[in-house]
Amino acid sequence: MKLSEKRNSNFTPHPETDGPIKAVLVDVTELKKRMTQYGEKDEFRLVFETEVEDTENDRRFCIWSRGYTPSLNEKAALRKDLKKMMGRELTQLELDEFDLEGLIGHGVKLIIQHEHKDDKTYANISFIAPDKDKALKPSGKYIRVRDREVDGGSSQTEAKAEASGWESVIVHVGKYKGKKLGEVDEVGAGSLISNWLPKAKAGGKTEDAALVAALTELADILNGEDY
């Protein structure tokens, strides 16, 4: 197992692996509009919890997949990766209607490789296959993005709906006050996550709920891969 140095970031990417490791699918994210080389697209991601321990945070590492458009067309990335995950082609019945939620808890083998770009380190899935041995079980420490609660009792899903995505949430504190979170650079976002977010969560103020939800989501994204 090779650990990568942190490069101008407060977040540690998933360690690079020398070979396949065990992982389990723990989340299917909600659709989000993303700007791609082909224009704006609706995309979602799969989140895998791996057997690699993140001792600093007392949990296992998670890795986010590449973005998928919701299509099972034979040329779609999702269909190709589902075939790899399941070790077979989808049946006609599955092609007619496939419920991704049914794959939560599905065990796989992954190889994680690092990509260095613009002085940053990104963790990417370079290999995926079904785990035909004793599959890894979820640790229970990962909470699905849609199920996470912010102080005040509202879920992140509710807060994000009000904010229309973390990128659009307006920062109302500090030097970035008045800016959309998506306009704040990584160093600034990291400072908010490290310094303001813990205090805001403890404070539980209603006016902080949307920014708390957005920063919590962004922290998971940065701690996974370039999303």
Side-chain angles (χ1 to χ4, degrees), residues 3-226:
L3 294 176
S4 174
E5 64 178 338
K6 295 182 181 180
R7 299 185 173 217
N8 295 333
S9 173
N10 293 323
F11 309 99
T12 305
H14 191 293
E16 198 169 25
T17 66
D18 293 319
I21 58 172
K22 286 180 174 290
V24 57
L25 182 66
V26 291
D27 205 355
V28 179
T29 70
E30 299 170 359
L31 283 175
K32 284 189 175 181
K33 292 190 180 298
R34 299 289 177 188
M35 186 56 66
T36 72
Q37 60 180 324
Y38 305 109
E40 193 174 61
K41 301 283 187 181
D42 284 323
E43 288 189 344
F44 68 92
R45 302 230 173 185
L46 304 178
V47 184
F48 299 91
E49 184 181 56
T50 78
E51 63 182 316
V52 182
E53 295 290 338
D54 180 359
T55 55
E56 184 177 341
N57 295 298
D58 189 30
R59 63 185 182 185
R60 295 178 188 157
F61 276 99
C62 287
I63 183 80
W64 295 59
S65 75
R66 58 179 167 176
Y68 299 110
T69 55
S71 171
L72 291 178
N73 182 279
E74 61 181 358
K75 295 183 179 180
L78 176 61
R79 180 166 171 180
K80 293 176 181 178
D81 282 356
L82 285 175
K83 180 179 179 180
K84 294 174 184 177
M85 287 177 58
M86 302 172 72
R88 60 172 176 80
E89 182 58 270
L90 299 182
T91 66
Q92 187 56 55
L93 186 61
E94 289 170 329
L95 289 172
D96 290 338
E97 184 176 27
F98 192 89
D99 184 8
L100 285 171
E101 292 290 312
L103 282 179
I104 298 293
H106 181 73
V108 295
K109 293 282 187 73
L110 302 177
I111 292 179
I112 312 299
Q113 292 185 329
H114 283 177
E115 176 185 3
H116 304 296
K117 184 178 180 181
D118 298 328
D119 202 34
K120 298 176 185 177
T121 300
Y122 301 100
N124 298 312
I125 298 171
S126 63
F127 168 87
I128 185 168
D131 188 350
K132 297 182 179 180
D133 302 319
K134 186 176 180 180
L136 184 70
K137 300 295 184 182
S139 67
K141 292 186 176 181
Y142 176 86
I143 300 175
R144 297 188 65 179
V145 174
R146 70 180 191 184
D147 295 332
R148 296 172 192 173
E149 288 188 354
V150 297
D151 294 301
S154 61
S155 69
Q156 282 202 43
T157 301
E158 293 167 342
K160 285 186 289 181
E162 180 180 350
S164 300
W166 68 263
E167 301 98 329
S168 301
V169 174
I170 302 299
V171 178
H172 63 283
V173 295
K175 63 184 290 187
Y176 302 102
K177 185 175 181 179
K179 280 191 172 185
K180 293 181 180 180
L181 184 55
E183 297 173 347
V184 178
D185 60 30
E186 186 175 337
V187 174
S191 178
L192 286 169
I193 291 168
S194 299
N195 301 321
W196 181 82
L197 183 57
K199 297 176 184 177
K201 284 185 174 180
K205 296 180 180 179
T206 302
E207 60 266 31
D208 292 337
L211 185 56
V212 166
L215 286 171
T216 301
E217 180 183 1
L218 179 57
D220 280 319
I221 290 169
L222 292 173
N223 205 23
E225 65 153 337
D226 72 327

